[in-house]
Amino acid sequence: AQSVAQPEDQVNVAEGNPLTVKCTYSVSGNPYLFWYVQYPNRGLQFLLKYITGDNLVKGSYGFEAEFNKSQTSFHLKKPSALVSDSALYFCAVRAPMDSSYKLIFGSGTRLLVRP
Amino acid sequence: DTGVSQDPRHKITKRGQNVTFRCDPISEHNRLYWYRQTLGQGPEFLTYFQNEAQLEKSRLLSDRFSAERPKGSFSTLEIQRTEQGDSAMYLCASSLIMAGWGSYEQYFGPGTRLTVT
């Protein structure tokens, strides 16, 4: 069965410092991987995806993520954090042979950027 | 493109009552998904539609739940005889999937927060 693990419930970082939010996955075949962000009382907002190709993908708001097949990881990164990046971040995977294209989400990581 | 909209945003109901939620997807999107998100968890898949056809239902979708997408546009999710365990955020998402191409990402609405007292 497909699954996603986000090992950190919360990540704290100072504004201007680099941030990393970790994600590991388990899926049969080559995965499709996604990051979404959720602000309070809002739906999920798409940040970026990995389908194939370059292992480093760039997304919205200066975020990027690195796909590592050997470590089955897809960590979210940003070189310089902003206070406004504080939110709940979800990693998701889609199994390549699943015709529904449904997303399997991790439990989320709360990012807190302090001024 | 006004995005995915959901109505109502909040619903408080008493145990045993029926509730219905509506989702309006992005207009050209042919796929519509329903997810449920409980506190401290990520969204969990409930069901999805390809145009008006409901093609898959999760085990989470008990007999008390029913979803429709009658004309392949908006969708409704009804919960009958609500229970306290149904309290959650219900999220709708849409995407465009065509043979051989389409968007891989799903676009989410703001959700309907259900509280069952």
Side-chain angles (χ1 to χ4, degrees):
Chain A
Q2 299 83 29
S3 65
V4 175
Q6 293 183 243
E8 303 153 316
D9 290 337
Q10 183 162 314
V11 170
N12 298 306
V13 64
E15 187 174 32
N17 283 0
L19 69 87
T20 299
V21 182
K22 296 180 180 178
C23 171
T24 58
Y25 64 89
S26 174
V27 69
S28 299
N30 295 319
Y32 298 153
L33 295 158
F34 304 82
W35 276 100
Y36 284 82
V37 60
Q38 187 175 35
Y39 295 98
N41 299 315
R42 302 276 293 277
L44 277 70
Q45 190 171 331
F46 171 74
L47 279 180
L48 52 79
K49 65 180 182 281
Y50 172 81
I51 304 301
T52 187
D54 194 347
N55 289 344
L56 185 65
V57 294
K58 295 186 182 298
S60 306
Y61 313 118
F63 283 94
E64 57 190 27
E66 185 169 12
F67 171 63
N68 187 316
K69 187 172 184 178
S70 63
Q71 297 186 2
T72 61
S73 67
F74 189 56
H75 300 332
L76 181 70
K77 301 180 180 184
K78 188 173 183 181
S80 179
L82 300 173
V83 172
S84 58
D85 292 331
S86 298
L88 193 55
Y89 290 80
F90 290 97
C91 180
V93 66
R94 196 199 101 195
M97 302 308 292
D98 181 356
S99 61
S100 76
Y101 291 19
K102 64 178 173 288
L103 298 176
I104 309 298
F105 286 88
S107 56
T109 298
R110 186 167 301 281
L111 173 65
L112 183 60
V113 182
R114 59 185 185 275
Chain B
D1 178 359
T2 58
V4 179
S5 61
Q6 293 186 245
D7 183 70
R9 295 290 306 274
H10 303 274
K11 179 71 176 179
I12 300 174
T13 191
K14 293 184 177 180
R15 185 165 51 95
Q17 297 295 304
N18 299 345
V19 294
T20 299
F21 311 141
R22 175 179 171 126
C23 170
D24 287 89
I26 293 172
S27 58
E28 66 269 24
H29 284 185
N30 54 359
R31 287 212 176 177
L32 187 148
Y33 299 80
W34 285 98
Y35 292 84
R36 183 171 70 184
Q37 183 180 18
T38 54
L39 201 62
Q41 298 298 318
E44 296 174 289
F45 170 78
L46 291 178
T47 188
Y48 89 100
F49 293 83
Q50 170 89 15
N51 299 313
E52 66 276 7
Q54 187 175 18
L55 297 184
E56 185 174 333
K57 293 191 285 186
S58 160
R59 290 174 299 171
L60 293 175
L61 215 65
S62 75
D63 292 343
R64 296 184 296 105
F65 289 70
S66 62
E68 294 182 341
R69 194 183 183 197
K71 297 182 179 179
S73 56
F74 72 92
S75 175
T76 58
L77 178 67
E78 181 183 16
I79 309 174
Q80 297 183 327
R81 304 181 303 282
T82 54
E83 301 173 356
Q84 287 188 322
D86 298 332
S87 296
M89 174 79 88
Y90 290 85
L91 294 165
C92 175
S94 70
S95 65
L96 176 63
I97 304 294
M98 305 293 283
W101 66 276
S103 65
Y104 292 94
E105 61 268 29
Q106 296 175 15
Y107 295 87
F108 284 79
T112 295
R113 182 169 296 282
L114 173 66
T115 302
V116 182
T117 61

